[in-house]
Amino acid sequence: MTEFQARVLQVVRRVPPGRVVSYGGVAALMGQPRAARGVGAALRAVEVDDDLPWWRVINRNGEISISHHSISRRLQRELLEREGVEFGPTGRVDWDRFGWDGR
DNA sequence: ATAATGACTGAAT
DNA sequence: AATTCAGCCATTA
């Protein structure tokens, strides 16, 4: 577990149920606003435990960002909808309604 | 130490 | 509004 990964998890763990945050958002909350890609790399590498709501992290366009050949992609949307997050006709989440700013 | 790889983004088209 | 491009960055080989 790298130092960077630990800081990422620290932020992701604070995202409330029914809300979503972008990779860049997590990066910003860590005080490293340009590390959006690094956040993705960390979530890919880290071993997910029960206390890590990884599914509440999506890309800036409000879309799920896991590559299409991944099983988790379908799962992520299901987990989000289960907590009340709605996807529009284009399969995108509205930031004004479900976005989390860190408070 | 180097290079390749994407769960990224903002600006330009 | 949708696509393209060029930086950015932690991981991994």
Side-chain angles (χ1 to χ4, degrees):
Chain A
M1 170 78 77
T2 68
E3 166 96 36
F4 182 84
Q5 295 173 331
R7 301 219 311 285
V8 169
L9 302 193
Q10 192 176 330
V11 172
V12 175
R13 270 193 275 264
R14 301 188 42 223
V15 185
R19 311 297 291 296
V20 290
V21 64
S22 70
Y23 296 89
V26 173
L29 290 172
M30 294 191 292
Q32 204 169 167
R34 312 188 220 153
R37 253 185 134 149
V39 171
L43 290 179
R44 199 190 329 126
V46 100
E47 189 66 38
V48 290
D49 56 83
D50 309 305
D51 194 32
L52 183 68
W54 56 269
W55 59 90
R56 307 214 256 253
V57 186
I58 62 184
N59 70 28
R60 194 89 219 292
N61 307 314
E63 316 168 291
I64 287 173
S65 232
I66 300 179
S67 36
H68 286 53
H69 58 63
S70 176
I71 325 168
S72 314
R73 190 185 170 78
R74 200 182 303 240
L75 174 65
Q76 178 164 20
R77 173 160 179 165
E78 187 181 313
L79 288 168
L80 284 173
E81 293 183 315
R82 187 176 300 170
E83 347 180 285
V85 175
E86 300 172 26
F87 286 77
T90 50
R92 298 205 305 258
V93 175
D94 182 2
W95 286 110
D96 294 324
R97 295 180 53 190
F98 304 105
W100 179 67
D101 52 17
R103 287 187 258 162

